[in-house]
Amino acid sequence: MHNLEEIPEIRGLDSRSGLIRIPHEMDVPITPRVRQLIDTAEFHRLTRVSQLGLVSLVYPAAHHTRFEHSLGVYRNALLYLRQLSADERFRAAIKTEDGELLIVAALLHDLGHWPFCHPIEDMKLPSVPSHEMFANSFLLEGEVADCLRDDWGIQPRDVTTILSEKPRDTRQRILKSLMSGPIDIDKMDYLPRDSLHAGVPYGRNFDAQRLIGSLCLNQAGDGLALTDKGRTAAEMMVFARYVMFSEVYWHHTVRSATAMLQRGFYLLHGELDLDALFRMAEPAFIQHVLTASERHPAADLFGGLFGPTRRLYKRIAEFSFFQKRPYYEQFARRPYTWLAVCSDHLAEILSQQIARRVAPHEILFDAPPVKREVEFNVEIHFAKENTYRTLGEVSPVVKTLAQSQFDDYVKRVRIFVHPRLQEDLRQQDSLDTALDETLRRMA
Amino acid sequence: MHNLEEIPEIRGLDSRSGLIRIPHEMDVPITPRVRQLIDTAEFHRLTRVSQLGLVSLVYPAAHHTRFEHSLGVYRNALLYLRQLSADERFRAAIKTEDGELLIVAALLHDLGHWPFCHPIEDMKLPSVPSHEMFANSFLLEGEVADCLRDDWGIQPRDVTTILSEKPRDTRQRILKSLMSGPIDIDKMDYLPRDSLHAGVPYGRNFDAQRLIGSLCLNQAGDGLALTDKGRTAAEMMVFARYVMFSEVYWHHTVRSATAMLQRGFYLLHGELDLDALFRMAEPAFIQHVLTASERHPAADLFGGLFGPTRRLYKRIAEFSFFQKRPYYEQFARRPYTWLAVCSDHLAEILSQQIARRVAPHEILFDAPPVKREVEFNVEIHFAKENTYRTLGEVSPVVKTLAQSQFDDYVKRVRIFVHPRLQEDLRQQDSLDTALDETLRRMA
Amino acid sequence: MHNLEEIPEIRGLDSRSGLIRIPHEMDVPITPRVRQLIDTAEFHRLTRVSQLGLVSLVYPAAHHTRFEHSLGVYRNALLYLRQLSADERFRAAIKTEDGELLIVAALLHDLGHWPFCHPIEDMKLPSVPSHEMFANSFLLEGEVADCLRDDWGIQPRDVTTILSEKPRDTRQRILKSLMSGPIDIDKMDYLPRDSLHAGVPYGRNFDAQRLIGSLCLNQAGDGLALTDKGRTAAEMMVFARYVMFSEVYWHHTVRSATAMLQRGFYLLHGELDLDALFRMAEPAFIQHVLTASERHPAADLFGGLFGPTRRLYKRIAEFSFFQKRPYYEQFARRPYTWLAVCSDHLAEILSQQIARRVAPHEILFDAPPVKREVEFNVEIHFAKENTYRTLGEVSPVVKTLAQSQFDDYVKRVRIFVHPRLQEDLRQQDSLDTALDETLRRMA
Amino acid sequence: MHNLEEIPEIRGLDSRSGLIRIPHEMDVPITPRVRQLIDTAEFHRLTRVSQLGLVSLVYPAAHHTRFEHSLGVYRNALLYLRQLSADERFRAAIKTEDGELLIVAALLHDLGHWPFCHPIEDMKLPSVPSHEMFANSFLLEGEVADCLRDDWGIQPRDVTTILSEKPRDTRQRILKSLMSGPIDIDKMDYLPRDSLHAGVPYGRNFDAQRLIGSLCLNQAGDGLALTDKGRTAAEMMVFARYVMFSEVYWHHTVRSATAMLQRGFYLLHGELDLDALFRMAEPAFIQHVLTASERHPAADLFGGLFGPTRRLYKRIAEFSFFQKRPYYEQFARRPYTWLAVCSDHLAEILSQQIARRVAPHEILFDAPPVKREVEFNVEIHFAKENTYRTLGEVSPVVKTLAQSQFDDYVKRVRIFVHPRLQEDLRQQDSLDTALDETLRRMA
């Protein structure tokens, strides 16, 4: 095998047999060695882990799985490699074995994902591993590791390096930039896929064809870039991501459910065997936390999410750059534990105000996390002048999206309360008073 | 409220608030009284019952739920009613309260669906109720019944009448024909929806807009019909249904999984509390049969479907009208128990042939069921001549689909075996000998 | 260059530069030697010849051109060749130079199309050449011929052989079967393209991806066939074609316009320089016939089609297999001149009936042409059994479409009259009398 | 008729008969009085005026007409009115007769469009009327005026007021804001329509359904606004418009063709009967300028655009905010005549530099016009707080698009030259020298 295009999976893009079909009318080539990987128990588990978790409480069709998504990302790896194999510098840096490494990394990139992984990670609790680290336990030993060694001639450690370590050389930096960055193979799959299954048009319109067709290397030769033919397509993808955040991922009801899950997990996590829990598929995970939280305040939260009927907390306040900005600035980008203490104080203050007991877990603060969304820095190669400029430099709109729209406008501070309290807490003035008092106590 | 168009849900089609969005970019109007119904535990259960069951083992994205589908059928009811409200004879026969009855019947039509309902019903086991009958227990008492009476002013018994009884008068015949027939509101939803989530183009192309736009009543005034403007759209819908059967519902691997489930259930059902089982959501159902089948032959079958890895039976023979037709005619349209006895005999005969033990449950016969798919008889109204003709009369292609393509060409006889036997049973000649012997014993 | 995949245009499918974009979001690779061909005056003329001619009088968006369609067919040639290059027998029969011959034949297949070509050809007038023959004058000399010889190393005569002569050997038979047959590269483009521009869903739903992916050679090794994986896709394409005929190509108003054009041309053609006319682009063609028909009965017909306002003839009768079948059988499949004489007689008879002058050209008969649509015979290869069966054999629905639906149900006999006569001729009974008399005179 | 929903055309949205179908699968209701209007010669002319003019030289499928677009805008008027009829303040301000006025204004808004209207208007030549003014001659007398008065009971003068005059009262301001503004019925049609026919995905993704569903009135009650549910949809529409400008309307090759047309018209316009010319359909217009320019420098320009072969000028330089910004600032936003004089000077200077005659019309400057694209100011109503904020205030990305992206980044300064000069003028350094000298002379 002398070049990237000869990799069996890449050839499979045209071969039309041994295919799995996923939306939207996408054929994924399945070679025998890919079949081996996806038929392991570890990978098969992903058929029972949903991609969007709590989003289906708002968009009831969004039940697609990490399995489906992983196939999509794997296919994108093939498309990116085929395209980049036409780039001389890429061919010089990335050999066939590197291409195959990328392919398995793409396929396996979510292997460590446990149910509701992102909101749990966002809380930064010390006892919770990162899902990348957690994945190592699936990758370094067992059936997947055997398959990598025997069928692919790949050392499992090389896969975990690409997936979870800082790149140390040009080759690793290139591979990493395909896996993770503003135009990576992951976003290229999940934006349109989440959009399709949710039933919304928001994440689909970015001309993937044009974008892939303009892939090249950056000036330094160590990362993904685009020719200027792909500039608009890249802007479209950044914009599509913004809209998906605004309308789906950070939809206020989704955030209510997320805040409930986070608080429930926060309250209960000391009593859970996290290692066992994180190896479960979603139905077992849900059953487990429901059982574990019996006779525990968390029961109220998990029951509302996963019980026989849906009972979500209600929004009583919302703050952003243009809505009561001073409050927004007080609560945004605070550690989860700080917000949890705020809840305690506010519950106590409100108990007095409305003269009935408000339990701490009946008040939830949801706020933009400490870490801002990454910048959208990808280089654009202007072929005629042979110069490279960053996308932000040639696109004010991308610069704006990166610098303010996402974190300051989409992600808002919200206060959610148990539905039985909603009526009592309607009055905005007294809420402000209570918030002021809460902040005084936190000072 | 004087006419159908004033029904709040129908008005909601244009109102743009209180909407749930489902694919493909479809807004479903949710009035308070609809919200009451879908928030009951009985209805909420449908968020955890998949629409296509075992199909996701072949089309891994097909995880959509009966909840989503029910919303789609409900929305179709609104569209059909709005369209038909322009038809004088329809307006004379169907009053506002009948329209509302249809609306709740549409929303609740799958309330009695238990997981993997269709393949289990197809076996015609005496201890298994029909899902329509089973639904009555959800409809006639409990939260749904209360809501129907209190919020809708509808007697629960009237809903079960429409859903599961033979119509007795014109009014009932009309409502029934909207719920069930060649162009009913159910197929109008599931064909495109299954297609979309499976990732295939087959069930989507039938110009629903044109079809709905040409709805009218038949000559007798007691059933749904179409004006001649909708003739081609109706042909397209019948054809789309054929293709979905061919490529999805009766895909040979789907049939393998179905045959496994049926045999597992057949073996185990005497030991199950069916009433309790059929009230469970899908994850609990699966967990239950896995647990119940421990140390039982059915464990092999359920484990292959629902265990940590997928292990499906392999096809070793296939018979149809054009492939070894005599075998096809021997096995098609036989009762399930008859086929099960065939398995026993064949297992015994093959055990001798290959000189190793073949367990009865390792051999599965799958064959077209006794009941043929319904005929596609819907009347077409030729306005210029003011005559009614059946669709089959003016469309040879529909007549052909109805009379032979579905049941004789798509639905085939197949023999599936445990994968460990596949190699041993490759030889076609000796299989024919064994089949001949099997048939001799059955004679 | 050793194999088909190395042909620059086929490589261009992945290259993403030098592309022309056409709907639906399709990138067509344009190599320098393709650019040379499409920039000739002969080919550029196709930018001003519409694909569907008079259809835009009914579907006002259907203004797409033969230029766009030719690019689509050319691209299909690349896709078919790339797919078939994986087939051993194909590779043995079709060398690189044959592949290139197919590519230019695909690109140039409509070069001889003059405006409104099909309805004019359908009349079988002795002075009208076939458009394939007419194309030879563009292909065998001039700029296109030079370009073929110089840039492609192809003899123009070889192109005309593929396009307009009976194939004489295996190689030619294979190439011809790609250009013309039930699943050829031409229909594969025009069905979805016409559908898209007309704004209808009918011609788009046939899973082109699956169809192309299952291309192979027939049993004799001298023509296109499909593996059984493509069987349903082929049925879908045949069905899509039927629906397009029913709803677009043979729409009754399109047929009215077509009948007007045919009669106008029939009346005027003796006075036209057809060789010059057929070399014109559509606007010049239209201008020319408008000018030539001044003070001529044809003016009424051309004016209604191309004048400042649209004025189409009205349908006063329609006959088919299920509508007054005896009339249908009398008029279907008759030569154009025979039908024209019918008009003369009928005009005379009606003049007496309604006691006012009816001019012969005010009555138009439109009927299914003498030649039936070709049968849909393509072989399907059943790989497991290694047998070949015709599509009709394994698909009753295709057999039905081929044998009756198209020619006997879609194509009807219609009588159109000048709008000023419509009121007078409303009475059906007297029309029957007049028709009977007309047929007596024709006997 | 007591309310807006009873207007026959609005009722026709649901009625399904008397429809014209246009892409994308859109049914346009045609009542008898609409049929009267579109069958006039003035309106029928729009079937032969293309929507995008020269764009089809780059996107060869973009041949759609002003006729199709006008039907789409008319349909949008119906959708907007139906939606807004649910708004109390709208109902109070806009009576049935105002709704009907809007409907005809929407249908007729492009009646005065002559072929290639926009680039010709952009030059601001004193002898060229605005197309709105020109439309008055079609609207105030003749068949259209008769039809308005007789069939609609509308004074033609009221239509021209809405279309071309400054609104003078609340009622007029509201109607005007539906016709022209950031989310008007015109853009709502042409963005997706141009996108579809061009074959690109750029202008289609803005959730029209959601946008229409959130229409309301602004705080002052005299213009279109959106509820906050439509905020993201509005951002998407503004963004889609940006991408269409970037990739289609201001595509560099489209600009080359536009610059050629403008110069040709500039050179020839003194010799043309503009009033007659602007009443022609596109084919006649083209024929006319080709004939008129014989033996005139303009022949070279028109011949390259409309002659038997395509021969477009080539870009030799491009300046923008990030490419040689000082040049950009010198040439942007200058009057057309100023740029024409630049060409003259530059031609003379280059003639000396390359020592061969460069004709003035062989050098074309293309630059952003004097007038900037309008701001995207539309109010958003935040229902919970009952406050109105401008879209720019709550969306940094829209503010950025409005203030810089469009005019400073998309619209660039370009220099195009006759293809025979391209080789000679490749050298960038000497071009800079020549430009500097040109600017010195212009100072």
Side-chain angles (χ1 to χ4, degrees), chain C residues 250-398:
Chain C
W250 272 72
H251 185 286
H252 67 89
T253 313
V254 171
R255 291 312 302 177
S256 167
T258 303
M260 289 170 71
L261 180 90
Q262 288 184 322
R263 180 64 74 99
F265 187 84
Y266 180 72
L267 292 173
L268 200 67
H269 78 286
E271 302 165 36
L272 297 168
D273 173 354
L274 294 188
D275 188 72
L277 185 70
F278 290 171
R279 290 175 192 280
M280 292 177 187
E282 197 163 306
F285 183 107
I286 288 172
Q287 192 49 53
H288 192 84
V289 297
L290 281 174
T291 308
S293 63
E294 273 169 26
R295 275 182 306 273
H296 187 284
D300 216 14
L301 295 153
F302 289 133
L305 296 173
F306 305 129
T309 59
R310 189 182 89 138
R311 196 191 59 248
L312 300 184
Y313 278 36
K314 302 295 181 187
R315 171 175 51 165
I316 56 161
E318 180 170 302
F319 312 126
S320 71
F321 252 48
F322 58 88
Q323 295 161 300
K324 302 201 170 184
R325 184 161 170 175
Y327 284 131
Y328 172 80
E329 288 179 343
Q330 288 284 353
F331 293 104
R333 272 163 261 297
R334 296 285 195 167
Y336 187 82
T337 45
W338 191 91
L339 292 171
V341 178
C342 283
S343 296
D344 295 347
H345 288 306
L346 184 56
E348 197 183 305
I349 297 162
L350 291 173
S351 297
Q352 294 175 329
Q353 251 186 26
I354 64 172
R356 65 185 273 196
R357 153 110 176 125
V358 175
H361 73 269
E362 290 178 330
I363 302 284
L364 307 176
F365 277 82
D366 185 49
V370 178
K371 201 176 138 224
R372 297 176 76 96
E373 290 294 318
V374 289
E375 294 252 337
F376 303 100
N377 266 332
V378 60
E379 286 176 25
I380 307 292
H381 181 222
F382 289 78
K384 287 217 167 177
E385 318 162 47
N386 194 23
T387 56
Y388 292 79
R389 299 184 177 95
T390 64
L391 181 55
E393 190 183 344
V394 301
S395 170
V397 72
V398 161

Side-chain angles (χ1 to χ4, degrees), chain B residues 317-343:
Chain B
E318 180 169 304
F319 312 125
S320 72
F321 251 48
F322 59 86
Q323 293 161 302
K324 301 200 171 187
R325 183 161 171 175
Y327 283 131
Y328 172 81
E329 290 180 341
Q330 288 284 353
F331 293 104
R333 272 164 259 297
R334 297 285 196 167
Y336 187 81
T337 45
W338 191 91
L339 291 171
V341 179
C342 283
S343 296

Side-chain angles (χ1 to χ4, degrees), chain A residues 95-130:
Chain A
K95 299 299 167 200
T96 299
E97 55 267 30
D98 304 320
E100 295 182 307
L101 181 59
L102 180 80
I103 289 168
V104 299
L107 187 63
L108 303 174
H109 81 287
D110 265 357
L111 203 65
H113 250 269
W114 59 83
F116 316 108
C117 186
H118 285 310
I120 290 174
E121 281 187 328
D122 278 353
M123 295 159 72
K124 309 263 174 229
L125 303 178
S127 58
V128 172
S130 81

Side-chain angles (χ1 to χ4, degrees), chain B residues 164-279:
Chain B
S164 56
E165 290 174 26
K166 251 190 124 60
R168 277 161 307 190
D169 55 24
T170 298
R171 189 185 131 276
Q172 287 186 10
R173 265 192 288 275
I174 292 175
L175 295 182
K176 188 84 182 180
S177 77
L178 272 89
M179 295 293 301
S180 170
I183 51 167
D184 65 37
I185 56 178
D186 188 17
K187 292 179 190 68
M188 179 72 97
D189 183 75
Y190 75 67
L191 290 173
R193 188 167 307 289
D194 293 350
S195 192
L196 183 93
H197 283 291
V200 297
Y202 311 126
R204 288 217 297 276
N205 196 49
F206 57 81
D207 206 353
Q209 189 175 316
R210 173 69 63 97
L211 219 145
I212 293 173
S214 63
L215 292 173
C216 62
L217 285 192
N218 61 10
Q219 189 157 21
D222 68 352
L224 211 55
L226 294 169
T227 68
D228 55 349
K229 282 183 185 294
R231 185 180 57 90
T232 314
E235 290 178 288
M236 291 171 80
M237 185 166 167
V238 171
F239 186 78
R241 192 176 160 208
Y242 151 64
V243 184
M244 284 301 283
F245 261 88
S246 173
E247 299 300 297
V248 178
Y249 308 141
W250 272 72
H251 184 285
H252 67 88
T253 313
V254 172
R255 291 310 303 176
S256 166
T258 302
M260 289 171 71
L261 180 90
Q262 288 183 321
R263 181 63 75 98
F265 187 83
Y266 180 73
L267 292 173
L268 201 65
H269 78 287
E271 303 165 35
L272 297 168
D273 174 353
L274 294 188
D275 187 73
L277 185 70
F278 290 172
R279 289 174 193 280

Side-chain angles (χ1 to χ4, degrees), chain D residues 289-302:
Chain D
V289 297
L290 281 175
T291 309
S293 64
E294 272 170 28
R295 277 181 303 274
H296 187 285
D300 216 14
L301 295 153
F302 289 134

